[in-house]
């Protein structure tokens, strides 16, 4: 059974990102958030997302799949974007690329405390090769 | 709340893989299973897993995190393995590498029908660079 509470909260977080509501992010993300086992904190997390919106044209977090239990959300996100310059160390240089991210979020007191993300870099490499 | 039924079923599937119980796989995987949007079928799926066990030393599916709802399981798997030759197109050649896979499984009538997997290739590339 889907935990609608946490799934709904997560969709609120995604809407917050997609509308670039940087002030609102504190409602969803813990001050001590860790990203892939690195402590980045709310400020570092917000800065990273702001940087992405500045350097990636067409950035939109498109939720394809959400699975939630009491403390954890798993999400499959689709992207169809044009990053300036390098992206994940690849010379994308404004080309349009499409790929997925599979990501887990651990919540504590209704805020994201830990994120474990994997982006499908291999899919991007394949698209750059085909160009 | 975790859906223990599907989470438990998933752990049975993983035990089936880890014990190389190829005959048992039909209890967990649909005849028409799709892997990353490609129809591979049970036979193709089993063959791919068998090939992995033959070409990767120390292969073990280590479940770090499971989130389940009524039809879907999301899992974060840890690996610490030594693939022979190339792995994901990278010249691993028997070196020991550690990485994660974030993967979703859709179930129909208690069998896996669709799998969407992303392996952290960037983490492997970083380890090969450091060697």
């Amino acid at each position: 059974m889907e935990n609608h509470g946490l799934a709904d909260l997560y969709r609120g977080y995604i809407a917050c990102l997609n509308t670039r509501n940087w002030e609102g992010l504190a409602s969803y993300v813990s001050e001590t958030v860790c990203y892939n086992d690195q402590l980045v904190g709310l400020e570092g997390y917000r800065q990273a997302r702001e940087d992405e919106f500045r350097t990636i044209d067409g950035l939109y977090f498109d939720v394809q799949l959400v699975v939630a239990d009491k403390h954890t959300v798993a999400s499959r996100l689709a992207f169809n974007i044009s990053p300036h310059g390098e992206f994940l160390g690849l010379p994308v240089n404004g080309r349009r690329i499409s790929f997925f991210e599979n990501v887990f979020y651990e919540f504590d007191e209704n805020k994201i405390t830990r994120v474990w993300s994997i982006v499908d870099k291999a899919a991007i490499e394949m698209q750059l090769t085909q160009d």
Side-chain angles (χ1 to χ4, degrees), chain A:
Chain A
M1 218 166 311
E2 186 173 280
N3 185 306
H4 287 290
L6 215 53
D8 288 348
L9 189 68
Y10 174 70
R11 289 182 189 278
Y13 157 75
I14 290 293
C16 186
L17 288 182
N18 281 331
T19 57
R20 309 184 191 199
N21 174 12
W22 305 122
E23 293 306 310
L25 212 56
S27 307
Y28 298 102
V29 178
S30 161
E31 285 286 348
T32 56
V33 63
C34 291
Y35 189 88
N36 287 347
D37 297 319
Q38 301 280 326
L39 175 67
V40 294
L42 171 60
E43 186 56 28
Y45 196 85
R46 187 185 56 73
Q47 194 60 59
R49 302 294 84 72
E50 279 200 56
D51 289 348
E52 287 168 356
F53 273 99
R54 195 169 43 248
T55 60
I56 300 174
D57 290 346
L59 182 54
Y60 181 79
F61 294 77
D62 181 5
V63 178
Q64 298 284 302
L65 199 57
V66 174
V67 190
D69 65 16
K70 204 169 172 184
H71 296 290
T72 313
V73 169
S75 172
R76 181 163 166 88
L77 298 165
F79 296 94
N80 180 22
I81 59 175
S82 300
H84 313 170
E86 286 203 349
F87 181 70
L88 307 178
L90 300 171
V92 176
N93 298 318
R95 271 172 285 192
R96 175 69 55 165
I97 51 174
S98 298
F99 61 91
F100 293 94
E101 174 184 2
N102 287 357
V103 53
F104 290 84
Y105 307 82
E106 190 177 276
F107 284 73
D108 184 35
E109 296 183 346
N110 286 330
K111 290 192 180 181
I112 295 167
T113 55
R114 294 203 278 177
V115 181
W116 295 279
S117 156
I118 306 181
V119 168
D120 194 351
K121 187 178 177 185
I124 302 169
E125 287 171 341
M126 194 170 294
Q127 287 165 60
L128 296 180
T129 308
Q130 285 168 347
D131 278 356

